[in-house]
Amino acid sequence: AYHAPILDRDIQALQPILRDNFWLTMHVLSITASYGAGALAWGLANISLGYYLFGRYRDPAPGAAARGRKPPQACGRLSGFIYRAIQVAVLLLAVGTILGALWADVAWGRFWSWDAKEVWSLICILAYMVILHGRYIGWFGDFGLAAGAVLGLTTILLTWYGVNYMFGSGLHSYGGGTGGQYHVIGFAALNWLFLLAAGVRYLAER
């Protein structure tokens, strides 16, 4: 990890005002776990997108009203796991953000200051909430959920990497670093191109 291009090799100790093991452990643990749940949903979504892009689509049953061919069966099964992983991510994101606000009140005397990290944490929660509710009320189906998981991880990347390594300002600038922009942006761009290709195949088959 020390030699990874996106990590700062000159890591320093936390500011004295932030050296609180209780709040540090509770906040960072819940936020990191939420990122893990989002990454799990993203990984499952990319497996699902692989089926959408390369899998064998099924012909509809004789006399069925549905138009077009049906996606591979694995897509439906994976969708259930993606949905559960996003639920866990939302819960942990909300808990971690609330704990972060409580820690901010202890450290800086205010719960919320519209800092870049705080704003992007809120955007993360809202993005995942829209994905969950959109799937629940039928705005989109299994493919839309997989696409939403990719969108969700993109917001996580912006919250963690973008704020700390590209914006480098605000109350959370102590966690900043430099380098790796092309790696991260290239990774995200390739993932969205993969999503686009899967979407084209899905729409063509449908």
Side-chain angles (χ1 to χ4, degrees), residues 54-190:
F54 302 112
R56 179 177 295 178
Y57 283 68
R58 299 164 292 151
D59 293 322
R67 296 180 178 179
R69 305 175 74 197
K70 292 161 53 171
Q73 274 189 327
C75 296
R77 292 195 296 269
L78 286 166
S79 180
F81 294 123
I82 295 167
Y83 189 78
R84 294 301 180 203
I86 293 177
Q87 285 181 316
V88 173
V90 166
L91 175 63
L92 291 171
L93 271 172
V95 169
T97 302
I98 291 169
L99 288 171
L102 294 172
W103 188 14
D105 183 53
V106 171
W108 296 318
R110 57 184 182 276
F111 292 98
W112 193 265
S113 59
W114 295 103
D115 182 64
K117 179 71 80 173
E118 295 170 352
V119 170
W120 274 102
S121 296
L122 180 61
I123 290 172
C124 256
I125 296 172
L126 294 177
Y128 275 118
M129 291 285 283
V130 168
I131 294 163
L132 283 182
H133 285 80
R135 180 68 180 91
Y136 183 76
I137 65 177
W139 283 350
F140 45 79
D142 294 340
F143 182 85
L145 185 64
V150 175
L151 170 65
L153 191 83
T154 304
T155 63
I156 286 176
L157 276 177
L158 286 168
T159 304
W160 174 70
Y161 177 81
V163 171
N164 288 26
Y165 287 79
M166 296 175 69
F167 304 156
S169 62
L171 293 171
H172 291 79
S173 59
Y174 59 84
T178 58
Q181 288 90 336
Y182 296 114
H183 298 81
V184 175
I185 293 171
F187 165 79
L190 285 173

Side-chain angles (χ1 to χ4, degrees), residues 11 13 40 48 51 61 82 92 101 110 131 141 146 152 159 168 175 194 202-203:
I11 296 174
L40 175 61
S48 182
Y51 278 105
I82 295 167
L92 291 171
R110 57 184 182 276
I131 294 163
T159 304
F194 180 55
Y202 173 69
L203 292 175

